[in-house]
Amino acid sequence: MPSIYSQALSTTTTRAITARPNFPESKTRFKFIRRNIRMDSRRLPPKSSRTTSSNDGGPLHHHQKRPAPSVDNRSPSPTPKASDALPLPLYLTNAIFFTLFFSVAYYLLHRWREKIRDSTPLHVVTFPEIAAIVSLMASFIYLLGFFGIDFVQSFITRPSHDTWDLEDTANPNYLINEDHRLVTCPPPANVPPISKLPNPEPIITPLASVEDEEIVKSVTEGTLPSYSLESKLGDCKRAAVIRREALQRTTGRSLEGLPIEGFDYDSILGQCCEMPVGYVQIPVGIAGPLLLNGMEYMVPMATTEGCLVASTNRGCKAMYASGGATSVVLADGMTRAPVVRFETAKRASELKLFLEDPDNFDTFSIVFNRSSRFARLQGIKCSMAGKNLYMRFKCSTGDAMGMNMVSKGVQNVLDFLQNDFHDMEVIGISGNFCSDKKPAAVNWIEGRGKSVVCEAIIREEIVKKVLKTSVASLVELNMLKNLAGSAVAGALGGFNAHASNIVSAIFIATGQDPAQNIESSHCITMMEAVNNGKDLHISVTMPSIEVGTVGGGTQLASQSACLNLLGVKGASKGSPGSNSRLLATIVAGSVLAGELSLMAAIAQGQLVKSHMKYNRSSKDISKAAS
């Protein structure tokens, strides 16, 4: 959004130009104005010498506090620039230096050609040649400055931090006069005075040293970028403290309650979070034991929703009492789908057939697998949209979630294909045919990450005693809610009660990417009465659970502890990928427990009652600090 000063400049300039009686109206004149505004703006006096007058004669300042400028009736001396080389209008100055540059260049080349023909040493120069060389250098430096190369400006002018910036200036009233210079004028009478924005009181917390105070001041003034504190200071904790204090002073808002102590900020540098000012506390609860494939697991769940852990725990109890659950990994492969474009659809189809030809797969595998010792290409499926081709690569990634791994492999194949398909234009390494962090039918159908199915048979007496409902009620509710109800809603992969609740809680606790909860929560819950209608068969099928046990947030202390609790911390040395696959089955088993318990609560009419009892705070939030 443009600032109020930008709007004032636009309005004032337009009115002044149209009202000026002798202002030339030719298109050439306006072209020079637009092209040379940037150069002319450098001729403004320093900000310390400029103020804006309000209608009543008083100074009108920017909404941020600035020191009042000293009163000085003398005209301020503008900072010399390359464009001030001659006291002429800028377009005449440009024409002179352009002509001078090409003239002396031609003269010198002509003279040097004659010396070469006459065998005269080039270092023997006459006075006209010396003058021509000096003129060539002067005009060359000017032209560099004219085209906006700032480092040249720093050599030919004195350093200044007062480069004119419309957002920072104290005077919004500028117009363009006959020689293209920016000058001031009083605001029109019909323009209301600019109201000052409320300025919150700064919050100042004493810091450890005077040096830290100076650094905070530099950050708040904008002379030191906040993002560079870690590299400048070499201390991530100290950088977070200083950044936090600068933020409080700038916004006038307190961050009290957001903890900063007790966190290893070195562990997130360059990989997890930029510009930290603290960390958010999320309670971690334990559900279990989850009896899965004959093994017991205590499942950590990070959540702020009441009843979620308790409900999942109840489902685990019912499953445990009935002999546990069984889970199977159906597929394991991360995907990435670049989009490329050709001049014709026929040419795009040729690449599609080339990629999907089984005879070429071994070649692509060799090229792809160079990216990592764990990456193994599994297949390529293509889809066309006109002359655009989407190539969906799928590969195993060991115990890593694998997005970076598969992306590197895809880049290798694209570089390889460029040798035979010179006319292939790579539009993007991801064309959304992957599809990452978005609900998509391709993930629901083809799978992405780990495809898992988990099932359990809950005995009739357990359904009645632990879940407080009946098998028939659960089967009917599942059909009408999870299947028919989701179909009526047009759900995509959402044929379940609340799979994303459990997936998100485990993802946060174990350091997964929370955004991948979108496709990882694709789930269809099935319930059926078995054993002559006495017992309940329940299953969840989840085709795209995207998890890893190495990389990203999995190596942070808290998340690593939760992975260690499950026995899947780090990479498996004996069987690469087995830890991440086990984690995916635990997620599916926990979802099964959560589905079982919530559906029982809904069937028995206990959902609202339990949430009103356990998920409502008794604290008076009106007294909480803002």
Side-chain angles (χ1 to χ4, degrees):
M1 177 181 292
S3 68
I4 52 180
Y5 299 129
S6 301
Q7 297 172 359
L9 173 64
S10 177
T11 305
T12 308
T13 304
T14 304
R15 291 179 178 174
I17 291 175
T18 55
R20 196 175 181 88
N22 297 322
F23 194 92
E25 297 294 331
S26 67
K27 294 183 179 179
T28 305
R29 185 70 166 175
F30 282 107
K31 181 177 180 180
F32 272 104
I33 291 173
R34 290 192 297 268
R35 188 177 67 182
N36 296 327
I37 280 179
R38 183 174 181 273
M39 294 298 301
D40 286 335
S41 65
R42 296 174 178 168
R43 305 185 185 191
L44 287 175
K47 289 187 287 185
S48 59
S49 303
R50 300 196 304 266
T51 58
T52 302
S53 299
S54 61
N55 291 337
D56 59 359
L60 181 63
H61 299 287
H62 193 273
H63 68 276
Q64 293 184 342
K65 294 184 177 180
R66 298 177 182 268
S70 59
V71 179
D72 192 352
N73 294 328
R74 297 174 298 174
S75 300
S77 299
T79 302
K81 300 294 179 182
S83 55
D84 295 328
L86 293 177
L88 298 172
L90 188 59
Y91 67 94
L92 291 180
T93 304
N94 294 339
I96 290 174
F97 276 99
F98 268 101
T99 303
L100 180 63
F101 176 79
F102 289 108
S103 299
V104 297
Y106 175 79
Y107 170 75
L108 289 174
L109 291 173
H110 180 73
R111 289 289 301 146
W112 290 338
R113 184 179 64 175
E114 290 181 352
K115 288 184 177 182
I116 293 173
R117 289 178 177 178
D118 299 338
S119 300
T120 303
L122 294 179
H123 65 272
V124 178
V125 294
T126 63
F127 179 78
E129 292 174 344
I130 295 176
I133 293 173
V134 173
S135 300
L136 180 68
M137 294 175 61
S139 58
F140 180 71
I141 293 175
Y142 172 83
L143 293 177
L144 284 180
F146 173 75
F147 285 108
I149 301 181
D150 293 333
F151 77 92
V152 175
Q153 294 282 10
S154 65
F155 282 108
I156 63 177
T157 64
R158 63 181 178 86
S160 173
H161 297 290
D162 295 323
T163 303
W164 182 70
D165 181 38
L166 187 58
E167 295 291 342
D168 292 335
T169 183
N171 191 347
N173 303 305
Y174 291 94
L175 60 84
I176 305 174
N177 68 355
E178 288 281 352
D179 65 351
H180 301 204
R181 296 179 185 271
L182 293 172
V183 297
T184 61
C185 70
N190 59 344
V191 176
I194 300 172
S195 60
K196 291 186 288 185
L197 298 175
N199 192 15
E201 291 295 329
I203 297 176
I204 300 178
T205 303
L207 294 177
S209 65
V210 177
E211 182 183 1
D212 287 355
E213 287 287 348
E214 291 297 325
I215 298 174
V216 169
K217 183 178 179 181
S218 299
V219 174
T220 56
E221 292 176 350
T223 58
L224 178 63
S226 177
Y227 61 81
S228 66
L229 287 175
E230 281 79 4
S231 60
K232 295 289 185 182
L233 302 177
D235 187 337
C236 295
K237 168 67 181 304
R238 183 184 174 200
V241 172
I242 291 175
R243 181 182 296 111
R244 177 191 181 102
E245 180 60 24
L247 179 63
Q248 290 186 137
R249 297 184 186 183
T250 302
T251 62
R253 303 284 183 180
S254 174
L255 288 178
E256 182 180 2
L258 180 68
I260 192 169
E261 299 292 339
F263 187 83
D264 182 10
Y265 292 93
D266 292 329
S267 64
I268 65 174
L269 181 64
Q271 57 187 1
C272 290
C273 180
E274 297 76 38
M275 297 193 290
V277 294
Y279 59 96
V280 174
Q281 295 171 312
I282 301 179
V284 177
I286 293 296
L290 171 68
L291 183 56
L292 182 67
N293 294 334
M295 299 292 293
E296 295 182 4
Y297 303 96
M298 302 301 296
V299 183
M301 301 175 64
T303 181
T304 57
E305 180 183 351
C307 296
L308 178 60
V309 177
S311 178
T312 307
N313 190 67
R314 184 175 73 149
C316 291
K317 180 180 179 181
M319 291 164 54
Y320 192 98
S322 299
T326 302
S327 185
V328 179
V329 177
L330 303 175
D332 180 8
M334 182 52 62
T335 63
R336 175 58 85 198
V339 53
V340 299
R341 181 170 59 195
F342 290 88
E343 290 296 326
T344 63
K346 181 178 182 298
R347 185 62 171 158
S349 66
E350 292 176 0
L351 178 56
K352 179 181 186 297
L353 297 175
F354 182 70
L355 288 169
E356 294 180 343
D357 188 345
D359 295 336
N360 298 327
F361 180 77
D362 290 340
T363 302
F364 296 141
S365 295
I366 294 174
V367 175
F368 185 96
N369 297 345
R370 292 173 184 170
S371 62
S372 169
R373 60 194 179 100
F374 296 110
R376 293 295 178 266
L377 183 64
Q378 297 176 354
I380 307 173
K381 290 189 177 182
C382 300
S383 181
M384 287 181 56
K387 58 182 183 179
N388 305 304
L389 180 65
Y390 299 82
M391 304 172 284
R392 193 172 192 260
F393 292 78
K394 185 175 182 179
C395 78
S396 59
T397 57
D399 283 305
M401 184 269 289
M403 285 297 302
N404 293 333
M405 194 182 300
V406 67
S407 296
K408 289 190 293 184
V410 168
Q411 188 63 56
N412 290 344
V413 175
L414 291 177
D415 295 340
F416 174 77
L417 291 174
Q418 206 83 54
N419 297 324
D420 294 324
F421 294 85
H422 304 286
D423 53 340
M424 180 182 73
E425 180 184 2
V426 179
I427 304 301
I429 191 67
S430 175
N432 275 8
F433 187 43
C434 311
S435 171
D436 186 43
K437 301 174 184 176
K438 292 166 285 292
V442 68
N443 291 337
W444 177 241
I445 298 171
E446 297 289 342
R448 188 172 195 254
K450 278 70 174 172
S451 299
V452 183
V453 60
C454 185
E455 64 178 348
I457 295 179
I458 312 300
R459 299 198 304 270
E460 182 182 25
E461 59 269 24
I462 302 300
V463 172
K464 293 180 179 179
K465 183 178 179 180
V466 178
L467 302 177
K468 311 297 183 183
T469 186
S470 65
V471 173
S473 298
L474 286 173
V475 172
E476 181 182 30
L477 177 64
N478 185 72
M479 180 184 66
L480 295 179
K481 171 182 167 61
N482 290 340
L483 303 183
S486 296
V488 169
L492 178 59
F495 298 91
N496 57 81
H498 69 148
S500 63
N501 247 338
I502 291 87
V503 172
S504 296
I506 299 178
F507 270 30
I508 296 173
T510 59
Q512 311 303 313
D513 189 339
Q516 290 184 326
N517 159 71
I518 295 176
E519 61 267 39
S520 296
S521 296
H522 282 345
C523 172
I524 181 169
T525 300
M526 303 293 292
M527 292 186 186
E528 180 183 354
V530 295
N531 299 330
N532 296 323
K534 293 182 178 180
D535 301 330
L536 175 70
H537 180 276
I538 178 174
S539 67
V540 291
T541 305
M542 306 179 69
S544 51
I545 301 178
E546 299 169 354
V547 292
T549 58
V550 296
T554 64
Q555 57 195 5
L556 300 180
S558 301
Q559 290 81 346
S560 180
C562 291
L563 289 171
N564 188 57
L565 176 66
L566 294 171
V568 294
K569 177 182 176 181
S572 174
K573 297 181 180 179
S575 177
S578 61
N579 280 353
S580 61
R581 288 191 291 270
L582 177 56
L583 178 58
T585 62
I586 292 173
V587 171
S590 303
V591 168
L592 183 65
E595 291 286 282
L596 182 62
S597 182
L598 177 60
M599 292 294 286
I602 296 176
Q604 194 63 17
Q606 297 295 318
L607 177 64
V608 175
K609 182 178 179 181
S610 61
H611 274 272
M612 292 296 291
K613 181 178 180 181
Y614 298 107
N615 199 25
R616 288 176 63 86
S617 174
S618 59
K619 295 182 179 180
D620 185 1
I621 61 174
S622 65
K623 297 180 180 179
S626 58

